[in-house]
Amino acid sequence: MIRGKVLACALVLASLLVTSVQGGNILVFPVDGSHWINMKFLIEALFARGHNITVIRAADSWYIEKTSPLYTSITIQSTGMFDEVYMKTYINRLLEILRQGSTFARLKLEKEVWDKAVEMFDKEKEMMISIIEDQQLIQSLKDTKYDVYLTDPVLISGILLGHYLKLPLVFNVRWTVQSEGHYAIAPSPISYIPLPMSELSDHMSFFQRVYNVILYFVTELQISYFLAPNYNALCHRVCGPEVNYFEIVQGADLWLFRGDFVFEFPRPTMPNIVYMGGFQCKPPKPLPEDLEDFVQSSGEHGIIVMSMGTFIDSLPHDAANAVAEAFAELPQKVIWRYKGEKPSTLGNNTLLLDWIPQNDLLGHPKTRAFVAHGGTNGVQEAIYHGVPLIGFGLIWDQPDNLSKMRARGAAKTVDFATMDKNSFLQTLKEVLYDPSYQENMQRLSRLHRDAPIKPLDNAVFWTEFVMRHGGAPHLRTESYKMPWYAYHSVDVMLFLLAVLLLIVFTTYAVIRYFCCRLCMRRKTTKRE
Amino acid sequence: MIRGKVLACALVLASLLVTSVQGGNILVFPVDGSHWINMKFLIEALFARGHNITVIRAADSWYIEKTSPLYTSITIQSTGMFDEVYMKTYINRLLEILRQGSTFARLKLEKEVWDKAVEMFDKEKEMMISIIEDQQLIQSLKDTKYDVYLTDPVLISGILLGHYLKLPLVFNVRWTVQSEGHYAIAPSPISYIPLPMSELSDHMSFFQRVYNVILYFVTELQISYFLAPNYNALCHRVCGPEVNYFEIVQGADLWLFRGDFVFEFPRPTMPNIVYMGGFQCKPPKPLPEDLEDFVQSSGEHGIIVMSMGTFIDSLPHDAANAVAEAFAELPQKVIWRYKGEKPSTLGNNTLLLDWIPQNDLLGHPKTRAFVAHGGTNGVQEAIYHGVPLIGFGLIWDQPDNLSKMRARGAAKTVDFATMDKNSFLQTLKEVLYDPSYQENMQRLSRLHRDAPIKPLDNAVFWTEFVMRHGGAPHLRTESYKMPWYAYHSVDVMLFLLAVLLLIVFTTYAVIRYFCCRLCMRRKTTKRE
């Protein structure tokens, strides 16, 4: 009887050990800028679970704080990789150029961006090599016995260090250096999966499919001839000559993917992709009193919220005036996050603020529409709170994000280059007064929220799963280790074709031989 | 203030409405036999959630009870499709033939099985047509306003009725009529995904890949030339001439898949596949006193459990004697579910029982090994309880199930045709005394149990999700509606090739034209 109880206690204890990781050690190699905001959400959640978190940051880091109650930081030398001033200058110049409509100026700017990217990659290489040459740092990282290594694969160095330290690898991912995350590990038939930046949907016309295929080849060429040689050169330097960078990426244990199938089009996926789209979204907190009063003063008309993300806190003069003038003609109240000079056309109904509690405003029942740049986080928050979008979609993934919402009838886009008061006002009115936009976004919101586990909890669960089991190899195919001709069964097909030809040829030869023999015998018989 | 409270209450109420479906109506079209056992688990769970369940059954049903506290049944005329006597006779003949080693007799038996399958399909057709011609039945099914239609796609009729009634379609699935469930909707690269019945793993040698590709072509030919014409003929009769049977299958909203990636090899999957492998597994209940005494009497050696599934409750004489003799030489105690004649070699350590509480025995801490036929449910229970397997793997998916466990080092298989006391004893001893088998199975058990939500709860959640939202189209690609040449981008590639050829040809023609002009001019100049 007592033995039975001891056994029962042991079983309970064992199950507790299995379902929790007490104070595990997590090493994080984040990417600076807006990516850090996403990583910090995950770090907060992991910290709340009692884990010890170490974050590697550069001395000149942009957003990543040296001291934080959430983590211990390891500061490496300045990398010069993240240049906030450059980024803001670039965006402001881009906005001016878009409004001027000068293709030449746009191309010149893009050339500068490319050069900057090359310069940044050189700096990344320097940083990477300095890390692995710092024997003291490496030894201390090895000695700490981390249970898991968390990084954002939009930069190569984080992945390489994880592999170098031989730690179970978890990605907090939407993009890898080569493309959208899925493309690295999941089969992606290009007939119905639009390439990133294509602004296509999963239902394409023939010529859209042609465009998608061309885009695919361009991307592949870019990866093969520009990116792969550079990445593999650094990879060989860090991890040894036999290691292929792309195989390290594909070999990651877990992909915590910043998206879900309310946001993304349905597509093949892999067992080690965990969808955590909207993991940063929260129910709204009450607004500060003065803001709540302003919102309530909108009455039945409700409010419009406008914010263009971290980087865009002002607009070129004429664009700002057009936006303000359009807002002024609406009965709604408007809250606009704007740091630039006050537009001369600003109406009494519009409140300019340096900073807005965006999540709380989007979650307010009086909010009718969200005017945004189309960044992923903003779009996810709009989905979560069921607020239809009016989007500009200027750079990076913004046009694509908005095109996904457009395909669901939950957003309209405005062409920033040609926008004037009338066109902007018309778009605003369409989204405000055609109820389908709100209905569609609220349907997306219901679908997104209706999940058996919250996205952030899911992400934390699977990160801890990797910690508990030292990886998740059973969820990961090792097909990435196959050469391309084997993966696509080209060698087998050629072999079977050869066998088939051999059979056909042999059969033909045998038949011919016997036919000839028969003919000769007949001839001989006739002669006799 | 009061308005705020009313709003808060309304929001709580709305969220409750979103997260539960009070007494939804579920129509179930199950498949008889062992498939019904699986469906019943799901029905029990859905019943516990307060839903009204209606089950369609045949008057001569094998297992599906007419009256049950769980559901209301609709009894259709006898179909003669499920013939328990035939099935048991077939299995017993197969076992005899396997032991005799007569290839001719085996082929003759397989021919009979094929004829029986054709006969069964004819009966299924009759049943299907009689259902849709029964206007009263159809009208009553339409009037009831079911929220979801649950079926097992191993038979075609269930799928067709669901489509006919235009209800959101949920599959409780491991097999479809054409192959393993995944093949119908998820890309399945045959270089690392073994075809069903191949007994291959996801790491194949060149010649294993050749075998896999050949098997793929054989399966495809079988589907295209034998199955598709028959299925589509019935489909056209029921759903109209423009409807393709395979498109209905691919268009299902949700696939509740009886497997997971502890059981299956990792592979591409789709967003609307919900893995519920091991959904039937439960913690063990205490054994009846006499059985517990017998188990405890095994001391430190522990016990072996043997059961060959629903259909095989006896073995040919010589096989039974070999098994019993091998058991008799072990220090373990053995509990063997066996209804046949008592083997003459039976040892004192072996208890024969007509029926065993299999789950409770497998979950008993004294259980050291499970001797089984390799049916899915038994293998899943062995994984759940972490008990290593010794398997026979006689028919259907049994050899494949066992080969998956063998690849993980958690099972050994015995060749039933050639098995004798010595070979069986050796296999038993290897699994009992090489600790790796138990360690591997217990590792699988830990991985399987370590999930954020229990498999059955997950299945119920997603079924109710479909009920709440009237389907789950956002999780399902519509790529199945594309013709094969478009899906594989063949048309686009040909178009691009044509454009490329046109450019090359035009450039060549232009260059040739100017070269000729140049040559002619020179000749003219020379002549001058």
Side-chain angles (χ1 to χ4, degrees):
Chain A
M1 192 67 183
I2 290 171
R3 268 184 67 190
K5 279 189 182 170
V6 170
L7 183 74
C9 284
L11 280 174
V12 168
L13 202 66
S15 78
L16 276 176
L17 281 172
V18 166
T19 52
S20 75
V21 180
Q22 287 300 317
N25 292 326
I26 303 174
L27 182 58
V28 186
F29 193 110
V31 170
D32 216 322
S34 62
H35 288 247
W36 167 246
I37 300 172
N38 287 319
M39 189 62 98
K40 207 175 165 187
F41 274 110
L42 200 52
I43 288 176
E44 279 168 1
L46 289 165
F47 174 79
R49 296 274 303 166
H51 301 299
N52 310 312
I53 299 158
T54 308
V55 173
I56 301 178
R57 65 182 283 282
D60 60 343
S61 173
W62 195 352
Y63 284 158
I64 309 167
E65 306 90 353
K66 189 180 165 82
T67 52
S68 162
L70 300 174
Y71 56 82
T72 314
S73 70
I74 295 177
T75 301
I76 55 170
Q77 66 181 51
S78 293
T79 62
M81 276 172 67
F82 299 100
D83 186 342
E84 190 168 10
V85 177
Y86 168 79
M87 196 56 98
K88 291 206 165 170
T89 316
Y90 158 68
I91 300 259
N92 285 333
R93 276 182 61 204
L94 176 73
L95 295 181
E96 293 285 354
I97 289 167
L98 281 173
R99 292 296 289 176
Q100 288 155 12
S102 159
T103 313
F104 176 74
R106 178 75 199 260
L107 287 174
K108 194 164 160 269
L109 184 68
E110 292 307 324
K111 171 71 175 61
E112 281 176 39
V113 171
W114 178 260
D115 293 342
K116 185 75 186 177
V118 172
E119 187 193 319
M120 271 176 61
F121 185 64
D122 285 338
K123 287 183 174 159
E124 191 180 355
K125 276 196 281 192
E126 273 174 41
M127 173 191 70
M128 193 67 242
I129 291 164
S130 80
I131 290 177
I132 59 156
E133 283 179 349
D134 186 341
Q135 283 307 316
Q136 203 179 343
L137 170 65
I138 291 293
Q139 198 52 50
S140 105
L141 290 176
K142 281 183 178 167
D143 290 346
T144 310
K145 308 272 179 236
Y146 291 103
D147 300 299
V148 71
Y149 180 90
L150 185 60
T151 193
D152 184 326
V154 81
L155 279 189
I156 164 170
S157 40
I159 301 166
L160 294 184
L161 185 63
H163 183 83
Y164 184 83
L165 295 171
K166 297 188 180 69
L167 292 173
L169 198 53
V170 173
F171 288 158
N172 171 353
V173 56
R174 181 139 187 263
W175 299 95
T176 69
V177 272
Q178 61 265 46
S179 184
E180 194 255 14
H182 282 103
Y183 287 82
I185 48 166
S188 306
I190 43 179
S191 53
Y192 68 94
I193 302 180
L195 263 277
M197 317 297 167
S198 66
E199 294 185 57
L200 296 169
S201 85
D202 57 342
H203 289 74
M204 296 180 244
S205 69
F206 177 77
F207 284 105
Q208 286 177 328
R209 288 196 290 115
V210 170
Y211 173 61
N212 205 42
V213 169
I214 293 172
L215 217 59
Y216 170 79
F217 283 121
V218 171
T219 311
E220 283 300 300
L221 283 173
Q222 206 177 9
I223 294 171
S224 304
Y225 292 97
F226 291 102
L227 306 182
N230 285 309
Y231 294 161
N232 271 324
L234 182 56
C235 178
H236 296 163
R237 177 91 166 76
V238 176
C239 303
E242 74 293 345
V243 184
N244 181 304
Y245 165 71
F246 297 97
E247 282 187 18
I248 304 180
V249 177
Q250 291 170 308
D253 287 280
L254 206 69
W255 296 60
L256 304 174
F257 193 84
R258 299 195 295 270
D260 63 10
F261 292 106
V262 172
F263 181 55
E264 308 285 335
F265 296 118
R267 52 155 297 139
T269 170
M270 294 303 280
N272 60 340
I273 300 187
V274 171
Y275 293 90
M276 60 163 188
F279 69 113
Q280 80 280 21
C281 300
K282 291 172 184 169
K285 292 194 296 291
L287 296 174
E289 204 170 336
D290 53 343
L291 207 55
E292 178 65 34
D293 289 345
F294 180 79
V295 171
Q296 289 300 342
S297 74
S298 68
E300 56 172 343
H301 300 295
I303 63 156
I304 298 166
V305 179
M306 174 162 175
S307 172
M308 298 287 283
T310 320
F311 294 125
I312 311 171
D313 48 21
S314 68
L315 294 176
H317 254 296
D318 62 329
N321 277 333
V323 166
E325 204 179 344
F327 281 150
E329 290 199 11
L330 289 173
Q332 282 77 18
K333 295 280 170 102
V334 181
I335 296 172
W336 181 3
R337 177 185 164 260
Y338 195 74
K339 278 186 182 175
E341 202 181 309
K342 185 176 161 184
S344 59
T345 53
L346 198 75
N348 287 332
N349 66 337
T350 306
L351 185 65
L352 297 188
L353 292 173
D354 274 10
W355 176 89
I356 57 166
Q358 185 171 301
N359 185 62
D360 307 331
L361 278 171
L362 290 180
H364 198 286
K366 282 216 180 288
T367 304
R368 300 283 178 269
F370 181 32
V371 182
H373 62 318
T376 310
N377 285 352
V379 174
Q380 294 274 18
E381 281 168 24
I383 293 175
Y384 180 81
H385 295 296
V387 179
L389 277 162
I390 294 124
F392 287 99
L394 301 164
I395 36 166
W396 304 320
D397 56 345
Q398 297 160 14
D400 241 19
N401 294 340
L402 290 170
S403 90
K404 282 172 189 160
M405 290 301 104
R406 221 166 44 217
R408 270 85 162 201
K412 279 281 285 183
T413 36
V414 182
D415 180 7
F416 186 75
T418 59
M419 172 203 65
D420 58 16
K421 184 212 92 180
N422 289 332
S423 65
F424 184 57
L425 183 62
Q426 200 183 334
T427 311
L428 283 170
K429 282 185 173 171
E430 193 178 333
V431 173
L432 286 167
Y433 300 122
D434 178 345
S436 73
Y437 289 95
Q438 195 177 30
E439 282 163 18
N440 286 326
M441 197 54 123
Q442 289 188 345
R443 186 179 52 83
L444 294 183
S445 180
R446 284 195 300 275
L447 291 173
H448 169 75
R449 286 169 176 239
D450 194 4
I453 179 168
K454 285 183 184 164
L456 188 58
D457 294 341
N458 205 25
V460 168
F461 176 87
W462 286 104
T463 307
E464 290 185 343
F465 182 98
V466 169
M467 295 167 77
R468 283 192 286 273
H469 302 283
H474 70 299
L475 296 178
R476 181 190 70 193
T477 82
E478 296 214 333
S479 59
Y480 62 87
K481 290 182 179 169
M482 302 173 91
W484 68 266
Y485 54 84
Y487 180 92
H488 294 287
S489 300
V490 177
D491 52 353
V492 171
M493 293 299 181
L494 288 177
F495 173 78
L496 286 176
L497 194 69
V499 170
L500 196 72
L501 286 176
L502 195 72
I503 292 171
V504 170
F505 180 76
T506 314
T507 316
Y508 173 74
V510 169
I511 291 171
R512 219 190 129 180
Y513 172 77
F514 283 106
C515 285
C516 287
R517 285 279 301 253
L518 205 71
C519 288
M520 281 175 71
R521 198 173 289 174
R522 275 188 191 161
K523 277 180 191 168
T524 323
T525 322
K526 274 185 184 173
R527 271 177 210 155
E528 282 169 357
Chain B
M1 193 66 183
I2 290 170
R3 267 184 68 189
K5 277 188 182 169
V6 170
L7 184 75
C9 284
L11 280 173
V12 169
L13 202 67
S15 78
L16 277 175
L17 280 173
V18 165
T19 53
S20 74
V21 180
Q22 288 301 319
N25 291 327
I26 303 174
L27 182 59
V28 186
F29 192 110
V31 169
D32 217 321
S34 62
H35 287 249
W36 167 246
I37 300 171
N38 287 318
M39 189 62 99
K40 207 174 165 189
F41 274 110
L42 201 53
I43 288 175
E44 277 167 2
L46 289 165
F47 174 78
R49 297 275 300 164
H51 300 301
N52 309 314
I53 300 160
T54 307
V55 173
I56 299 179
R57 64 182 285 283
D60 60 343
S61 173
W62 196 351
Y63 284 159
I64 308 166
E65 304 91 352
K66 189 179 165 80
T67 52
S68 162
L70 300 173
Y71 56 80
T72 314
S73 70
I74 293 177
T75 302
I76 53 170
Q77 65 181 52
S78 294
T79 61
M81 278 171 66
F82 300 101
D83 185 343
E84 191 168 10
V85 177
Y86 168 79
M87 196 55 98
K88 291 206 165 169
T89 315
Y90 159 67
I91 299 256
N92 286 333
R93 276 181 62 202
L94 176 73
L95 295 180
E96 293 285 355
I97 288 167
L98 281 173
R99 292 296 289 177
Q100 288 155 12
S102 159
T103 313
F104 176 72
R106 178 75 199 261
L107 288 174
K108 194 162 161 271
L109 184 68
E110 292 307 325
K111 172 71 175 61
E112 280 174 40
V113 171
W114 177 261
D115 293 342
K116 184 77 187 175
V118 172
E119 186 193 320
M120 271 174 64
F121 184 64
D122 286 337
K123 286 183 175 162
E124 192 180 355
K125 276 196 281 191
E126 272 172 43
M127 173 190 70
M128 193 66 242
I129 292 164
S130 80
I131 289 176
I132 58 155
E133 283 180 349
D134 185 342
Q135 284 307 316
Q136 202 179 347
L137 170 66
I138 292 293
Q139 198 52 49
S140 108
L141 291 175
K142 282 183 178 168
D143 289 346
T144 310
K145 306 274 178 233
Y146 292 102
D147 300 300
V148 71
Y149 180 91
L150 184 61
T151 193
D152 184 327
V154 82
L155 279 189
I156 166 171
S157 40
I159 302 165
L160 294 185
L161 185 63
H163 184 82
Y164 185 82
L165 295 171
K166 297 189 180 65
L167 292 173
L169 198 53
V170 173
F171 288 159
N172 171 355
V173 56
R174 184 143 183 260
W175 301 96
T176 68
V177 271
Q178 62 261 49
S179 185
E180 194 254 15
H182 282 104
Y183 286 81
I185 49 165
S188 306
I190 42 180
S191 52
Y192 68 95
I193 301 178
L195 263 277
M197 317 296 169
S198 66
E199 293 185 57
L200 296 169
S201 86
D202 57 342
H203 290 72
M204 295 179 245
S205 70
F206 177 76
F207 283 105
Q208 285 177 329
R209 287 195 292 114
V210 170
Y211 174 59
N212 206 42
V213 169
I214 293 172
L215 217 58
Y216 169 79
F217 283 122
V218 171
T219 311
E220 283 299 301
L221 283 174
Q222 206 176 10
I223 293 171
S224 303
Y225 292 97
F226 290 103
L227 306 184
N230 285 310
Y231 294 163
N232 271 324
L234 181 56
C235 178
H236 296 163
R237 177 91 164 79
V238 176
C239 304
E242 74 293 346
V243 183
N244 180 304
Y245 165 71
F246 297 97
E247 282 188 17
I248 303 181
V249 176
Q250 291 171 308
D253 287 281
L254 207 69
W255 296 60
L256 305 174
F257 193 83
R258 299 194 296 269
D260 63 9
F261 292 105
V262 173
F263 181 56
E264 307 286 334
F265 297 118
R267 55 155 295 139
T269 168
M270 295 303 279
N272 58 340
I273 299 187
V274 170
Y275 292 90
M276 60 163 188
F279 69 112
Q280 80 279 24
C281 300
K282 292 173 186 170
K285 292 192 296 290
L287 295 173
E289 205 171 336
D290 53 342
L291 207 56
E292 179 65 35
D293 289 345
F294 180 79
V295 170
Q296 289 301 342
S297 72
S298 67
E300 56 173 340
H301 300 295
I303 63 157
I304 298 166
V305 179
M306 175 163 175
S307 172
M308 298 287 282
T310 319
F311 293 124
I312 312 172
D313 48 20
S314 68
L315 293 176
H317 254 298
D318 61 329
N321 277 334
V323 166
E325 203 178 347
F327 281 149
E329 290 199 12
L330 290 172
Q332 280 77 19
K333 294 282 169 104
V334 181
I335 295 172
W336 181 4
R337 179 185 163 259
Y338 195 75
K339 279 189 182 173
E341 201 180 312
K342 184 176 163 182
S344 58
T345 53
L346 198 75
N348 288 333
N349 66 338
T350 306
L351 185 65
L352 297 189
L353 291 172
D354 273 9
W355 177 88
I356 58 167
Q358 185 171 299
N359 185 63
D360 307 331
L361 279 170
L362 290 180
H364 198 285
K366 283 220 180 286
T367 304
R368 301 281 178 270
F370 181 32
V371 183
H373 63 316
T376 310
N377 284 353
V379 173
Q380 294 274 18
E381 281 169 24
I383 293 175
Y384 180 81
H385 294 296
V387 178
L389 276 163
I390 294 125
F392 286 99
L394 301 165
I395 37 166
W396 304 321
D397 57 345
Q398 298 161 14
D400 240 21
N401 293 341
L402 290 170
S403 91
K404 281 173 189 160
M405 291 300 106
R406 221 166 44 216
R408 270 86 161 200
K412 281 279 286 184
T413 35
V414 184
D415 180 6
F416 185 75
T418 59
M419 171 202 67
D420 58 17
K421 183 211 96 182
N422 288 332
S423 64
F424 185 57
L425 183 62
Q426 201 183 333
T427 311
L428 283 170
K429 281 185 172 171
E430 194 178 331
V431 174
L432 286 167
Y433 300 123
D434 177 345
S436 73
Y437 290 94
Q438 195 176 30
E439 283 162 17
N440 287 326
M441 197 54 123
Q442 289 187 346
R443 186 179 53 80
L444 294 183
S445 179
R446 284 194 300 276
L447 291 174
H448 169 75
R449 285 167 176 244
D450 195 3
I453 179 167
K454 285 183 184 161
L456 187 58
D457 293 342
N458 206 25
V460 168
F461 177 87
W462 286 104
T463 307
E464 290 184 343
F465 182 98
V466 169
M467 295 168 76
R468 282 192 285 273
H469 303 283
H474 69 299
L475 297 178
R476 179 191 69 192
T477 82
E478 297 213 333
S479 60
Y480 61 87
K481 290 182 180 170
M482 301 173 90
W484 69 265
Y485 54 83
Y487 180 93
H488 294 287
S489 299
V490 177
D491 52 352
V492 172
M493 294 298 182
L494 289 177
F495 173 79
L496 286 176
L497 194 70
V499 171
L500 197 73
L501 286 176
L502 194 71
I503 292 171
V504 170
F505 180 76
T506 313
T507 315
Y508 172 76
V510 169
I511 292 171
R512 220 190 128 182
Y513 173 76
F514 282 107
C515 284
C516 287
R517 286 281 299 252
L518 207 69
C519 288
M520 280 174 72
R521 197 172 290 173
R522 273 187 192 159
K523 278 179 190 168
T524 322
T525 320
K526 272 184 185 172
R527 272 179 209 158
E528 282 170 359

